[in-house]
Amino acid sequence: MDFLLDPEHCYPALLARDARFDGQWFVGVTSTGVYCRPICRVRTPRRENCRFFPSATLAEAARFRPCLKCRPELAPASRPWSTMDAAQVLAREAARWLDECAPEEASLPALATHLGVSERHVRRVFTTVHGVAPLQYLQTRRLLLAKQLLTDTRLTIAEVALAAGFASLRRFNAAFQEHYRLSPSALRKGGSDTAPALTGTAISETAELRLDLRPPLLGTALLSFLAARAVPGVERVDVQALTLSRSVRLVRAGQPDLLGWVSVRLSPDGAERAQVRLSLSASLWPAIAQLMPRLRRWLDLDADPQAIAAALDEELGPAAEGLRLPGSLDRFELAIRAVLGQQITVAAARTLATRLITRFGEPLPAPLGAPDGVTHVFPMPATLAAATVDDIASLGMPARRAEALIHLARQWPTLAFAQGRGTVEDAIAELAALPGLGPWTAHYMLMRGWSWPDAYLPGDVVLKQCLEQRAGTPLRPRELIAAAEHFAPYRSYAVLQLWREASAASAAASAARAAEKSVKTTAAGRSAAAMKKEMTR
């Protein structure tokens, strides 16, 4: 196969069980017919029996089946952002659409329509870049998700088939038998499907999915960032317990929206085998195939910490290693909150968002059993588009900002940013052209809404202060951009680290002032007591 990787480079990493390559490639073992992750703990196969593939899809196309020990379906994805030609951009967008589209929408004609090209062209380009046809890629994604659901949950096999995107149980059984040479029930604990199946709310109380990632993970930094911006009612963050819960709305074409909640628990900082545990409401299990890629992007679980640290180490030091770029489960929510936060503090923006949700948000149905503090879902674009300027301005903001929010909501269905289409440059130009949105807001929306790793926020006061402090001299706008270029192609992570350093310095300064004030108050109290004692003599 033309896509096989060089054993000279891969086999030493396999011997070392090097976690840096987890998800970057997979090893197929010809003597067993199984393919594994580089971190698999089984006995290392002989070199002449190893075939190295850049993706699980290619390994399965070569008729290898997934390992039951290391579980390739849990491996973090390898999706680097880089400069690439038009064919690679098209193939990458096609793979992203197949990952995130609803199962009933996934087809080659729908993919070609989304990309604006012919079916023949998208099939040719996709096969050239990814090594397999689009529908073969989709089949592998569905089978690996089904394998994870069979292993980690007690959903019935019929429910697993539908959740993974198969149209019928018969088609699912046939595909599973053909690709993995065993029946779905063989993956059940104990090798059978005799465990009682759970349905309804009982599923959400017992089922928990494991999401793997490349270590290290600075979970406290990720949760601290989200906690400072968490809006009561929609999300709840507990940094000490390393947990995060929030409401979710999944929009489905031609069907009612799905409302529910997700809750994640992160590993402690420095954990050798960092991972995330996920639980969600029973209402969302049927749409887990559509939701899973968004969850991974939300927490940046496919990041490559070593590559990021290597790019930032010279300037920011090892403190940045393990940082994650907080994404978003709802681009519209992120966009509205970004506009709300223009030219005001994070705390003030959170207050406005809370009022907005109280006024326009939709309550979660009580039977979903949402975690404490999660009560509403963010309003739909149509809801805010139908609001008046006075309705929104009465929440405590200028009329111009209320107008900007309404205009954004009305334009939302036509925006390429909302659908994840096109290039970053085109999306920034599109957003900056909207009334009331400045360049900072457009870059911030791409940074978190598209998980763009190389965003630089022009005009950010904190970044300007940090970069000038490092340079030891005031910097003009062009010099600021040049200074930030040292962090490319991971400027978004540099922004997070500089904000983090500035926040820590501000907290330390506040603590020092408070301590100094306390000392002065204590000294004044002692002096007053001494004077009173002297007067009584």
Side-chain angles (χ1 to χ4, degrees), residues 219-228 236-244 266-269:
T220 52
L222 172 65
L223 293 183
S224 296
F225 180 92
L226 294 173
R236 183 184 180 188
V237 184
D238 188 334
V239 179
Q240 297 300 319
L242 292 172
T243 59
L244 165 62
L266 279 59
S267 298
D269 292 357

Side-chain angles (χ1 to χ4, degrees), residues 97-98 101 104-123 134-135 138:
W97 187 85
L98 289 173
C101 71
E104 61 273 10
E105 299 174 9
S107 66
L108 188 59
L111 174 61
T113 301
H114 170 76
L115 297 174
V117 297
S118 68
E119 294 181 34
R120 179 177 179 275
H121 182 63
V122 70
R123 187 189 300 110
L135 296 184
L138 181 63

Side-chain angles (χ1 to χ4, degrees), residues 495-517:
V495 167
L496 291 176
Q497 178 60 16
L498 292 174
W499 280 352
R500 187 175 167 219
E501 291 179 2
S503 178
S506 176
S510 298
R513 287 194 297 268
E516 183 180 357
K517 183 178 180 180

Side-chain angles (χ1 to χ4, degrees), residues 68-131:
L68 299 181
K69 296 289 185 181
C70 65
R71 303 179 59 191
E73 72 271 15
L74 299 178
S78 177
R79 297 189 179 98
W81 287 71
S82 60
T83 302
M84 53 185 69
D85 60 30
Q88 289 177 306
V89 171
L90 185 71
R92 186 190 68 195
E93 171 60 19
R96 186 202 64 79
W97 187 85
L98 289 173
D99 283 341
E100 297 185 8
C101 71
E104 61 273 10
E105 299 174 9
S107 66
L108 188 59
L111 174 61
T113 301
H114 170 76
L115 297 174
V117 297
S118 68
E119 294 181 34
R120 179 177 179 275
H121 182 63
V122 70
R123 187 189 300 110
R124 179 178 61 81
V125 169
F126 196 100
T127 304
T128 300
V129 173
H130 295 292

Side-chain angles (χ1 to χ4, degrees), residues 175-222:
F176 210 90
Q177 186 72 43
E178 178 186 356
H179 282 75
Y180 298 159
R181 277 90 77 188
L182 75 164
S183 65
S185 61
L187 283 177
R188 286 296 188 189
K189 197 169 185 178
S192 68
D193 194 26
T194 58
L198 300 178
T199 57
T201 57
I203 294 174
S204 64
E205 295 170 358
T206 59
E208 189 178 60
L209 291 181
R210 187 179 107 200
L211 306 180
D212 279 4
L213 53 106
R214 299 182 188 93
L217 169 66
L218 282 182
T220 52
L222 172 65

